[in-house]
Amino acid sequence: MSVHAPAHAAVAHETAHAGSFWRSHVFSVDHKTIGKQYLGIGIGMALVGGLLAYLIRWQLAWPGTPVPGFGWVPEPMFYEGIVPETSYNAFVTMHGTIMVFFVAMPILLGAFGNFLLPIMVGAPDMAFPRLNMMSVWTLGLASLVMLSSFFVENGPASAGWTGYAPLSADATYTADVYWGLNLWIIALMLEFASFLMGGVNFLTTAINMRAPGMTLWRMPLLVWMQLVAAVLFMLSVGPLVAAALMLLGDRTLGTAFFLPERGGDALLWQHLFWFFGHPEVYVILLPGFGIVMEIMPVFARKPFFGYRTVVWATIAAGALSFVVWAHHMFVSGIDPRLANPFSVTTILISVPFSVMVGCMLLTLVGGSIELATPMLFALGTLGTFLIGGVTGIYLGAAALDMYMHDTYFVVAHFHYTLFPSVILGGLAGLYFWFPKMFGRTLNEPLGKLHFWLTFFSFNAVFIPLFFVGLAGHMRRLYDPTQYDLLEPLMDTFPFVSHAFVTKAAIVLIVSQVLLLVNVVWSLLAGEHAADNPWKANTLEWATSSPPPHGNFATLPNVYRDPYEYTPPGSKDDWLPQTAPAAGAAR
Amino acid sequence: MSAAAASEPLRSGVEGGEFARMPLGRAGMWWFLASEVMVFGTLIATYSLNRVAAGGWDAERAHVNARIAAFNTFVLLTSSLTVVLSLQAAHEGLRARARRFLLLTVLLGCVFLGMKSLEYGTEIAHGYTPASGPFWSYYYLMTGLHGLHVLGGIVANVLLWIGLGRPGAERLEPRIEFLGLYWHFVDVVWIFLFPLLYLS
Amino acid sequence: MLSWLPENISTYGRDIDGLFALIVWVTTPWFLLMQGIILWSVLFNRRRVGRRAWYLRGDTWGQLAWILVPTAIILGLDFLIDARSALVWAHIKQRVPAGATEVRVTAKQFNWEFLYPGPDGRFGTDDDLTLDNELHVPVGQNVVFTLQSKDVIHSFFIPNVRLKQDVLPGRSIRGWFNAEKTGRYEIACAELCGISHYTMRAFLVVHTADEYRDWIEEKWPQAASAAAEPGTPTATELS
């Protein structure tokens, strides 16, 4: 795929296939369609992940009672609606796995990365369109394999999304879950392959296919974030691929990687997993931040504060992310002295993120802020992420982590980093780019209602869980009432209780119906969208909504960086990247 | 950035866009290889650390067949040479010659895999399977994964060989270089595996 | 905030709680400041006719100082927090003091086994005794434990002592604590170890000196007449 067809040929390509539903919607090589396919997978899997959260929360609040709506599920997954202990661990495992690998990455990288990156740099498509199609099909296959694991004998994987060996390395340790965990490993490897293909495309396209005038320092921040995320993923997933193969070997071929009784090492899995795991959380976070960084200047009518500084900070954070992994392992049995260097690197990595947050804050200060739905979600992302960031400091102090590790404090912390970037950030992006992607306008009042319900119910679920964790509540417990220590956390206090949290979680899940209604209604009967409803500067707004095959009718020329809002001496409060300069180009 | 550019049809990086530094396929292949380095690098590092901690695994390693492996090293190195010769022929416009060297590369790759199967067969017959302990676990995983990569390269090269013999072959010629890069990488991995697994 | 933590009964638990309080005091003002800036902007920088946004690019050192100076301060405070943490961590994890009481803890799917050396103070002798799910210790004494797992990774967690240490198969891990208050406290497994992970509940029973002597007499009646002091120090100082 060394030669890419020029866009006029691409336009001809479009008309040639205009009548073929299959070629243009299913077997499409157009990055925009592929991006929407990723979005579909991500949203579909989010429904599964949310459903699993509902099951987990119900069991925690009212252990041993039937879950409403699940009385029909046959044994042994449910017993007349009641979640048995075997299923609980499986639900916890699959919730985490699906959310991280089949929701976060497909939505933030697969959907927004694919749809936006080529347009934002002025390219007609990705560098390797057929590889792109293969990547989304591979993810589709991976999703099917992952979902199929629910239906095999003894159920799906139940060793946590972190899949620690030796628990995961021998089926007898997980009550004979054999194919469930094998399929889990295979599905993950297919997912890795999908995003490796995507990463190759992102990097090659952004580096080699930029339009005239689109220097690296004129690329939108979202593109920078996607690129750093792609590099992080490509360099960090290798160890986990190796570990996954080793785990499959231990489970099926009798190899001796992780099982001490065969000569293996009980800690090896954790090192390999977290070497990947920590960069992975930035693979997820950075594109989420990138969305926020695109939205804030548009709705504050201000340049993004410290564009180049943020780019350098992102690169620094990416580099540092490879040397912090053992802060997930302070009490794991590693030499205690290792806690010190990893604590130092963990403190250092807070520096670039402080810089990024500071720049986002200063992008708001002095702005002319309009609280449209995308901006509400962007602000919500920043505000809630701050809680996640600050609580990370508690966990990074090894001596305190000794107490907090594997409690609900950790659960609350990572939901306060993941949910903001994936869900609030993803929703910000959806509300912002929906007109561009689908050519229709979403209903604004419904969007605002969706935001407030989501925002409040999310905080209602997870703020109490910090205190639940402080009280010593361990993770992954099927029945907290086994412990006198935890009994008061069931339903005694008004907010810090499993009962309250579960009710809030149900509100959170149900509120998402508003999004589905809005999206479906808009697609069917919504107002047609203008090319540039938000009066934004980046290249995607300089073409039609949705853009044609090849993205642009004529080659765009780029004259300036993306955030020239309210430039001095100008009547308008925006100046697109493609507008020729009145005077000298910057 | 001239006004004339605005009315020209869109161009890709490969056709000389302002920021194109290299053919897209070459750039893409390098990124892919970077991720592969991490996979094999992990296995090599983990194997090495475990071997040192376990005291060397000398007794187990006495049972690998260094002679077959040495022969295989020679085979693979030669196949990297034939890839280079194929590329050189393509640059000189000698497509038939380029295809011949490509075929030779494929054949050498098949010899490698054939000898590898022989090796595995003998070892398994003697009772050395992946379940025979940590050393054998690493041995089979590392050489097995490498072998799968050789197989993948063979398949890709066969498809390229076929395509180069049909109309539209000019479009495919640059791929000789990209697949060649991949093939060299697979060779380099073997250069690491050979001493680590077979030589003391 | 601190009131949500369970009662602390251990010597080093106080240091951990103090570290928690320090982090609350250091991070909360910054957190409130940052949220305050968001709220302030939303309240006072709303779109209004006749008002233009500031054209602030943040590409001069003067402007960036607004970011970099606070970041430097945050970095300094972070190092202070972690210096304190490092001291506490070293005190707890990087040394094992002389132990008046030694016990071997074995975790398995799905319970805890506590092996006591008995009045002779040595493991591997006839008076060794294994109890399921009960850890008996004297108050105010260093207790040294050695952790091992029979199968998968578990985690030895005593919330009221603030102690947690993962238990690995194939390795022995030593640790210690010193309980300053008598009573009965729960021990839990804090690493997912299988389907009955949630049932791995044990009890730490901290006795007064008299109660402890009574307990030993009850468990080892043959040694009652010898009336030996509980255990002999056998733990060595790890550097």
Side-chain angles (χ1 to χ4, degrees), chain B residues 25-73:
Chain B
R26 188 192 303 164
M29 182 53 74
W30 276 113
W31 283 115
F32 171 62
L33 293 180
S35 72
E36 291 275 77
V37 166
M38 295 306 288
V39 180
F40 282 103
T42 300
L43 288 174
I44 289 170
T46 309
Y47 163 78
S48 305
L49 287 169
N50 272 291
R51 176 171 150 188
V52 166
W57 285 328
D58 297 326
E60 293 87 336
R61 286 188 306 111
H63 298 285
V64 296
N65 194 324
R67 256 196 246 119
I68 291 185
F71 175 73
N72 264 349
T73 309

Short mmCIF file of all heavy atoms in Angstrom, two decimals, chain B residues 25-73:
data_model
loop_
_atom_site.label_atom_id
_atom_site.label_comp_id
_atom_site.label_asym_id
_atom_site.label_seq_id
_atom_site.Cartn_x
_atom_site.Cartn_y
_atom_site.Cartn_z
N GLY B 25 4.66 3.19 2.96
CA GLY B 25 4.86 1.80 3.37
C GLY B 25 6.09 1.64 4.22
O GLY B 25 6.12 0.85 5.16
N ARG B 26 7.14 2.39 3.91
CA ARG B 26 8.36 2.27 4.69
C ARG B 26 8.14 2.81 6.09
O ARG B 26 8.52 2.20 7.09
CB ARG B 26 9.51 3.01 4.00
CG ARG B 26 10.87 2.76 4.65
CD ARG B 26 11.92 3.69 4.16
NE ARG B 26 12.09 3.63 2.71
CZ ARG B 26 12.73 4.55 2.00
NH1 ARG B 26 13.26 5.59 2.61
NH2 ARG B 26 12.84 4.44 0.71
N ALA B 27 7.48 3.99 6.16
CA ALA B 27 7.20 4.58 7.46
C ALA B 27 6.34 3.63 8.30
O ALA B 27 6.62 3.37 9.47
CB ALA B 27 6.49 5.92 7.28
N GLY B 28 5.29 3.12 7.68
CA GLY B 28 4.39 2.22 8.40
C GLY B 28 5.10 0.98 8.89
O GLY B 28 4.90 0.52 10.01
N MET B 29 5.98 0.42 8.06
CA MET B 29 6.69 -0.80 8.44
C MET B 29 7.60 -0.54 9.63
O MET B 29 7.68 -1.35 10.55
CB MET B 29 7.48 -1.35 7.25
CG MET B 29 8.22 -2.64 7.52
SD MET B 29 7.19 -3.97 8.20
CE MET B 29 6.26 -4.45 6.76
N TRP B 30 8.28 0.60 9.65
CA TRP B 30 9.17 0.90 10.77
C TRP B 30 8.38 1.00 12.08
O TRP B 30 8.82 0.51 13.12
CB TRP B 30 9.95 2.18 10.53
CG TRP B 30 11.19 1.98 9.72
CD1 TRP B 30 11.43 2.44 8.46
CD2 TRP B 30 12.37 1.25 10.10
NE1 TRP B 30 12.67 2.05 8.03
CE2 TRP B 30 13.27 1.32 9.01
CE3 TRP B 30 12.75 0.55 11.25
CZ2 TRP B 30 14.53 0.73 9.05
CZ3 TRP B 30 14.01 -0.05 11.28
CH2 TRP B 30 14.87 0.04 10.18
N TRP B 31 7.22 1.65 12.03
CA TRP B 31 6.41 1.73 13.25
C TRP B 31 6.00 0.33 13.71
O TRP B 31 6.06 0.00 14.90
CB TRP B 31 5.16 2.59 13.01
CG TRP B 31 5.42 4.06 13.00
CD1 TRP B 31 5.27 4.91 11.95
CD2 TRP B 31 5.90 4.85 14.09
NE1 TRP B 31 5.61 6.18 12.31
CE2 TRP B 31 6.00 6.18 13.62
CE3 TRP B 31 6.24 4.60 15.41
CZ2 TRP B 31 6.43 7.24 14.42
CZ3 TRP B 31 6.68 5.65 16.22
CH2 TRP B 31 6.75 6.94 15.70
N PHE B 32 5.59 -0.50 12.74
CA PHE B 32 5.18 -1.86 13.10
C PHE B 32 6.34 -2.61 13.74
O PHE B 32 6.20 -3.30 14.74
CB PHE B 32 4.67 -2.58 11.85
CG PHE B 32 4.43 -4.04 12.05
CD1 PHE B 32 3.50 -4.49 12.96
CD2 PHE B 32 5.16 -4.99 11.34
CE1 PHE B 32 3.28 -5.85 13.17
CE2 PHE B 32 4.95 -6.34 11.53
CZ PHE B 32 4.01 -6.78 12.45
N LEU B 33 7.54 -2.47 13.13
CA LEU B 33 8.68 -3.19 13.66
C LEU B 33 9.04 -2.71 15.07
O LEU B 33 9.49 -3.49 15.91
CB LEU B 33 9.89 -3.03 12.72
CG LEU B 33 9.72 -3.72 11.36
CD1 LEU B 33 10.96 -3.50 10.49
CD2 LEU B 33 9.46 -5.20 11.52
N ALA B 34 8.82 -1.42 15.35
CA ALA B 34 9.07 -0.92 16.69
C ALA B 34 8.24 -1.68 17.72
O ALA B 34 8.73 -2.06 18.79
CB ALA B 34 8.77 0.58 16.78
N SER B 35 6.98 -1.94 17.37
CA SER B 35 6.14 -2.68 18.33
C SER B 35 6.62 -4.12 18.44
O SER B 35 6.58 -4.72 19.52
CB SER B 35 4.68 -2.62 17.91
OG SER B 35 4.43 -3.40 16.77
N GLU B 36 7.10 -4.70 17.35
CA GLU B 36 7.59 -6.07 17.38
C GLU B 36 8.85 -6.20 18.24
O GLU B 36 9.05 -7.21 18.91
CB GLU B 36 7.89 -6.55 15.96
CG GLU B 36 6.64 -6.73 15.11
CD GLU B 36 6.03 -8.11 15.32
OE1 GLU B 36 5.37 -8.31 16.37
OE2 GLU B 36 6.22 -8.99 14.47
N VAL B 37 9.69 -5.17 18.17
CA VAL B 37 10.88 -5.18 19.01
C VAL B 37 10.49 -5.34 20.47
O VAL B 37 11.14 -6.07 21.23
CB VAL B 37 11.69 -3.87 18.82
CG1 VAL B 37 12.72 -3.71 19.93
CG2 VAL B 37 12.37 -3.86 17.47
N MET B 38 9.39 -4.69 20.86
CA MET B 38 8.97 -4.78 22.26
C MET B 38 8.51 -6.19 22.61
O MET B 38 8.71 -6.65 23.73
CB MET B 38 7.85 -3.77 22.54
CG MET B 38 8.28 -2.33 22.42
SD MET B 38 9.71 -1.91 23.42
CE MET B 38 9.01 -1.95 25.05
N VAL B 39 7.87 -6.88 21.67
CA VAL B 39 7.40 -8.23 21.98
C VAL B 39 8.60 -9.16 22.18
O VAL B 39 8.74 -9.82 23.22
CB VAL B 39 6.50 -8.79 20.85
CG1 VAL B 39 6.04 -10.19 21.19
CG2 VAL B 39 5.30 -7.89 20.62
N PHE B 40 9.47 -9.19 21.17
CA PHE B 40 10.61 -10.10 21.29
C PHE B 40 11.58 -9.62 22.36
O PHE B 40 12.20 -10.43 23.06
CB PHE B 40 11.32 -10.23 19.93
CG PHE B 40 10.59 -11.15 18.99
CD1 PHE B 40 9.83 -10.63 17.95
CD2 PHE B 40 10.66 -12.53 19.16
CE1 PHE B 40 9.14 -11.50 17.09
CE2 PHE B 40 9.98 -13.39 18.30
CZ PHE B 40 9.22 -12.87 17.27
N GLY B 41 11.71 -8.31 22.50
CA GLY B 41 12.58 -7.78 23.55
C GLY B 41 12.13 -8.25 24.92
O GLY B 41 12.96 -8.61 25.76
N THR B 42 10.82 -8.25 25.14
CA THR B 42 10.31 -8.73 26.42
C THR B 42 10.68 -10.18 26.64
O THR B 42 11.13 -10.57 27.72
CB THR B 42 8.78 -8.59 26.48
OG1 THR B 42 8.45 -7.21 26.33
CG2 THR B 42 8.25 -9.11 27.80
N LEU B 43 10.46 -11.00 25.62
CA LEU B 43 10.75 -12.42 25.79
C LEU B 43 12.23 -12.64 26.05
O LEU B 43 12.62 -13.43 26.92
CB LEU B 43 10.32 -13.19 24.54
CG LEU B 43 8.80 -13.31 24.37
CD1 LEU B 43 8.47 -13.95 23.03
CD2 LEU B 43 8.19 -14.13 25.49
N ILE B 44 13.06 -11.92 25.30
CA ILE B 44 14.50 -12.08 25.47
C ILE B 44 14.93 -11.64 26.86
O ILE B 44 15.69 -12.32 27.55
CB ILE B 44 15.26 -11.30 24.37
CG1 ILE B 44 15.08 -12.02 23.02
CG2 ILE B 44 16.73 -11.16 24.71
CD1 ILE B 44 15.56 -11.22 21.83
N ALA B 45 14.44 -10.48 27.29
CA ALA B 45 14.82 -9.97 28.61
C ALA B 45 14.33 -10.90 29.72
O ALA B 45 15.07 -11.23 30.65
CB ALA B 45 14.25 -8.57 28.81
N THR B 46 13.08 -11.31 29.62
CA THR B 46 12.52 -12.18 30.66
C THR B 46 13.27 -13.50 30.71
O THR B 46 13.59 -14.02 31.79
CB THR B 46 11.02 -12.42 30.40
OG1 THR B 46 10.39 -11.16 30.19
CG2 THR B 46 10.37 -13.11 31.55
N TYR B 47 13.54 -14.07 29.53
CA TYR B 47 14.29 -15.33 29.48
C TYR B 47 15.65 -15.14 30.15
O TYR B 47 16.06 -15.96 30.98
CB TYR B 47 14.46 -15.77 28.03
CG TYR B 47 15.54 -16.80 27.83
CD1 TYR B 47 15.32 -18.14 28.14
CD2 TYR B 47 16.78 -16.43 27.32
CE1 TYR B 47 16.31 -19.09 27.95
CE2 TYR B 47 17.77 -17.39 27.12
CZ TYR B 47 17.54 -18.71 27.43
OH TYR B 47 18.52 -19.65 27.25
N SER B 48 16.33 -14.04 29.78
CA SER B 48 17.69 -13.83 30.30
C SER B 48 17.68 -13.70 31.81
O SER B 48 18.49 -14.32 32.51
CB SER B 48 18.31 -12.59 29.65
OG SER B 48 18.28 -12.71 28.25
N LEU B 49 16.77 -12.89 32.33
CA LEU B 49 16.73 -12.69 33.78
C LEU B 49 16.41 -13.99 34.50
O LEU B 49 17.03 -14.33 35.52
CB LEU B 49 15.68 -11.64 34.12
CG LEU B 49 16.06 -10.20 33.77
CD1 LEU B 49 14.85 -9.28 33.91
CD2 LEU B 49 17.18 -9.72 34.67
N ASN B 50 15.45 -14.74 33.96
CA ASN B 50 15.08 -16.00 34.61
C ASN B 50 16.21 -17.01 34.54
O ASN B 50 16.43 -17.77 35.49
CB ASN B 50 13.82 -16.59 33.96
CG ASN B 50 12.57 -16.06 34.60
OD1 ASN B 50 12.26 -16.38 35.74
ND2 ASN B 50 11.84 -15.23 33.90
N ARG B 51 16.92 -16.98 33.42
CA ARG B 51 18.01 -17.94 33.28
C ARG B 51 19.12 -17.64 34.28
O ARG B 51 19.66 -18.56 34.91
CB ARG B 51 18.55 -17.89 31.85
CG ARG B 51 19.76 -18.79 31.65
CD ARG B 51 20.13 -18.87 30.20
NE ARG B 51 21.57 -19.09 30.07
CZ ARG B 51 22.21 -19.05 28.91
NH1 ARG B 51 21.56 -18.82 27.81
NH2 ARG B 51 23.50 -19.27 28.88
N VAL B 52 19.45 -16.39 34.43
CA VAL B 52 20.48 -16.03 35.41
C VAL B 52 20.03 -16.43 36.81
O VAL B 52 20.76 -17.05 37.57
CB VAL B 52 20.77 -14.52 35.35
CG1 VAL B 52 21.58 -14.09 36.56
CG2 VAL B 52 21.51 -14.17 34.06
N ALA B 53 18.77 -16.11 37.12
CA ALA B 53 18.27 -16.42 38.47
C ALA B 53 18.24 -17.91 38.73
O ALA B 53 18.41 -18.36 39.87
CB ALA B 53 16.86 -15.83 38.63
N ALA B 54 18.04 -18.69 37.66
CA ALA B 54 17.94 -20.15 37.84
C ALA B 54 19.29 -20.83 37.77
O ALA B 54 19.38 -22.05 37.88
CB ALA B 54 17.00 -20.73 36.78
N GLY B 55 20.36 -20.06 37.54
CA GLY B 55 21.69 -20.66 37.53
C GLY B 55 22.16 -21.13 36.18
O GLY B 55 23.14 -21.87 36.08
N GLY B 56 21.45 -20.72 35.09
CA GLY B 56 22.01 -20.99 33.78
C GLY B 56 21.28 -22.02 32.94
O GLY B 56 21.40 -22.02 31.72
N TRP B 57 20.51 -22.88 33.57
CA TRP B 57 19.80 -23.92 32.83
C TRP B 57 20.74 -24.74 31.94
O TRP B 57 20.38 -25.15 30.83
CB TRP B 57 18.68 -23.31 31.95
CG TRP B 57 17.48 -22.87 32.72
CD1 TRP B 57 16.99 -23.44 33.87
CD2 TRP B 57 16.61 -21.79 32.41
NE1 TRP B 57 15.87 -22.78 34.29
CE2 TRP B 57 15.61 -21.76 33.42
CE3 TRP B 57 16.55 -20.87 31.38
CZ2 TRP B 57 14.58 -20.80 33.42
CZ3 TRP B 57 15.52 -19.94 31.37
CH2 TRP B 57 14.55 -19.90 32.39
N ASP B 58 21.98 -24.98 32.42
CA ASP B 58 22.95 -25.68 31.58
C ASP B 58 22.51 -27.09 31.23
O ASP B 58 22.68 -27.55 30.10
CB ASP B 58 24.31 -25.72 32.29
CG ASP B 58 24.89 -24.34 32.50
OD1 ASP B 58 24.66 -23.49 31.62
OD2 ASP B 58 25.53 -24.10 33.54
N ALA B 59 21.94 -27.78 32.20
CA ALA B 59 21.55 -29.17 31.96
C ALA B 59 20.49 -29.24 30.86
O ALA B 59 20.56 -30.06 29.95
CB ALA B 59 21.03 -29.79 33.24
N GLU B 60 19.52 -28.34 30.94
CA GLU B 60 18.47 -28.36 29.92
C GLU B 60 19.02 -27.96 28.56
O GLU B 60 18.67 -28.54 27.53
CB GLU B 60 17.34 -27.38 30.30
CG GLU B 60 16.55 -27.80 31.54
CD GLU B 60 17.18 -27.29 32.81
OE1 GLU B 60 18.40 -27.03 32.82
OE2 GLU B 60 16.47 -27.17 33.82
N ARG B 61 19.87 -26.95 28.56
CA ARG B 61 20.34 -26.43 27.28
C ARG B 61 21.25 -27.40 26.56
O ARG B 61 21.48 -27.27 25.36
CB ARG B 61 21.04 -25.08 27.48
CG ARG B 61 20.05 -23.96 27.76
CD ARG B 61 20.70 -22.60 27.76
NE ARG B 61 21.81 -22.53 28.67
CZ ARG B 61 23.08 -22.41 28.27
NH1 ARG B 61 23.37 -22.32 26.99
NH2 ARG B 61 24.05 -22.35 29.15
N ALA B 62 21.76 -28.38 27.27
CA ALA B 62 22.61 -29.37 26.62
C ALA B 62 21.82 -30.18 25.59
O ALA B 62 22.41 -30.80 24.71
CB ALA B 62 23.21 -30.31 27.67
N HIS B 63 20.51 -30.17 25.69
CA HIS B 63 19.70 -31.01 24.81
C HIS B 63 19.21 -30.31 23.57
O HIS B 63 18.49 -30.93 22.78
CB HIS B 63 18.50 -31.56 25.60
CG HIS B 63 18.92 -32.43 26.74
ND1 HIS B 63 19.38 -33.71 26.57
CD2 HIS B 63 18.98 -32.18 28.06
CE1 HIS B 63 19.69 -34.22 27.76
NE2 HIS B 63 19.45 -33.30 28.68
N VAL B 64 19.54 -29.04 23.36
CA VAL B 64 19.12 -28.40 22.10
C VAL B 64 20.14 -28.74 21.03
O VAL B 64 21.28 -29.09 21.31
CB VAL B 64 19.01 -26.87 22.24
CG1 VAL B 64 17.92 -26.51 23.22
CG2 VAL B 64 20.32 -26.24 22.63
N ASN B 65 19.70 -28.62 19.80
CA ASN B 65 20.53 -29.03 18.68
C ASN B 65 21.19 -27.81 18.06
O ASN B 65 20.63 -27.16 17.18
CB ASN B 65 19.67 -29.77 17.65
CG ASN B 65 20.52 -30.51 16.64
OD1 ASN B 65 21.58 -30.03 16.24
ND2 ASN B 65 20.05 -31.67 16.22
N ALA B 66 22.40 -27.52 18.53
CA ALA B 66 23.09 -26.32 18.05
C ALA B 66 23.46 -26.43 16.58
O ALA B 66 23.56 -25.43 15.88
CB ALA B 66 24.33 -26.04 18.90
N ARG B 67 23.65 -27.66 16.11
CA ARG B 67 24.06 -27.82 14.71
C ARG B 67 22.95 -27.42 13.75
O ARG B 67 23.16 -26.69 12.78
CB ARG B 67 24.52 -29.25 14.42
CG ARG B 67 26.04 -29.32 14.34
CD ARG B 67 26.51 -30.59 13.69
NE ARG B 67 27.23 -31.39 14.68
CZ ARG B 67 26.83 -32.61 15.06
NH1 ARG B 67 25.80 -33.19 14.52
NH2 ARG B 67 27.51 -33.25 15.98
N ILE B 68 21.76 -27.93 14.01
CA ILE B 68 20.62 -27.55 13.17
C ILE B 68 20.43 -26.03 13.26
O ILE B 68 20.19 -25.36 12.25
CB ILE B 68 19.31 -28.27 13.60
CG1 ILE B 68 19.40 -29.75 13.29
CG2 ILE B 68 18.12 -27.65 12.90
CD1 ILE B 68 18.11 -30.51 13.57
N ALA B 69 20.53 -25.50 14.44
CA ALA B 69 20.31 -24.06 14.63
C ALA B 69 21.35 -23.26 13.87
O ALA B 69 21.04 -22.22 13.28
CB ALA B 69 20.33 -23.72 16.11
N ALA B 70 22.60 -23.73 13.89
CA ALA B 70 23.65 -23.02 13.16
C ALA B 70 23.36 -23.04 11.67
O ALA B 70 23.50 -22.03 10.97
CB ALA B 70 25.01 -23.65 13.46
N PHE B 71 22.95 -24.22 11.18
CA PHE B 71 22.59 -24.34 9.77
C PHE B 71 21.44 -23.37 9.45
O PHE B 71 21.46 -22.67 8.44
CB PHE B 71 22.18 -25.78 9.46
CG PHE B 71 21.68 -25.97 8.05
CD1 PHE B 71 22.56 -25.94 6.99
CD2 PHE B 71 20.33 -26.18 7.80
CE1 PHE B 71 22.10 -26.11 5.69
CE2 PHE B 71 19.86 -26.36 6.51
CZ PHE B 71 20.75 -26.33 5.45
N ASN B 72 20.47 -23.33 10.33
CA ASN B 72 19.33 -22.43 10.13
C ASN B 72 19.76 -20.98 10.12
O ASN B 72 19.20 -20.15 9.40
CB ASN B 72 18.28 -22.67 11.22
CG ASN B 72 17.18 -23.61 10.76
OD1 ASN B 72 17.09 -23.93 9.58
ND2 ASN B 72 16.35 -24.03 11.69
N THR B 73 20.74 -20.64 10.96
CA THR B 73 21.24 -19.26 10.97
C THR B 73 21.81 -18.90 9.61
O THR B 73 21.53 -17.84 9.05
CB THR B 73 22.32 -19.10 12.05
OG1 THR B 73 21.83 -19.61 13.28
CG2 THR B 73 22.73 -17.65 12.20
#
